[in-house]
Amino acid sequence: MATLTGWSKTFYYDQTKQITGNGFVYQCDNVSGKVTLYNADNRFVCQPWSYNDGSKLEDDILRGWTRTIEFDQENHTRFFTIIENGFNDAQKAAIGEYSLYVMAYIDPATGKIADVEFAFGERTPLAEIPIEVYYNIEQQLKTQQQYKMTEVGKKLNYGIYVGAIQINPSY
């Protein structure tokens, strides 16, 4: 006689809602299966990217042709390492070949990361990761990353640093 064993997957982010953690609240926006997560206590997420005076940015900035942040290989590597190390081995194995999209919003006055936004599909293994993991990654990025803004970058309401990170690079 065969016995069937089943388990259900827990997709935490299947609808737009606020998620309360231990001392923090995250906003989960789910639009047509595309999830974005960010700390509800944010300054820049969902704010139009502009000059400090509110005027619109030129296409060269929007397309990334004009640098707003000085590139630093050590910061670049550390950004990806912090994110990869935020997941334990079992989580990395479950995530497999999926990539996590991370957008860091940088305060141009300080060069520090002010906000972090995560993006992934609602039915990927990334949607099975508890909110505390994302919160811990956010906190590590905020405390360990510092950027130098260009003269153009200092004139913006915030800087943006974006990465698509393959959590399990063995795939």
Side-chain angles (χ1 to χ4, degrees), residues 8-13 91 94 120 122-130 134:
S8 65
K9 294 184 176 200
T10 302
F11 294 105
Y12 295 107
Y13 316 107
Q91 290 166 337
F120 50 84
E122 76 173 357
R123 294 289 178 201
T124 67
L126 290 156
E128 298 176 52
I129 304 295
Y134 293 109

Side-chain angles (χ1 to χ4, degrees), residues 13 19-22 24 129-137:
Y13 316 107
I19 303 168
T20 302
N22 187 14
F24 63 90
I129 304 295
I131 195 68
E132 289 78 13
V133 172
Y134 293 109
Y135 176 74
N136 288 334
I137 292 169

Side-chain angles (χ1 to χ4, degrees), residues 136-153:
N136 288 334
I137 292 169
E138 173 194 4
Q139 296 310 302
Q140 296 262 336
L141 289 170
K142 285 181 171 182
T143 59
Q144 296 182 32
Q145 292 294 95
Q146 176 88 30
Y147 295 90
K148 182 177 180 191
M149 305 301 287
T150 65
E151 287 306 312
V152 171

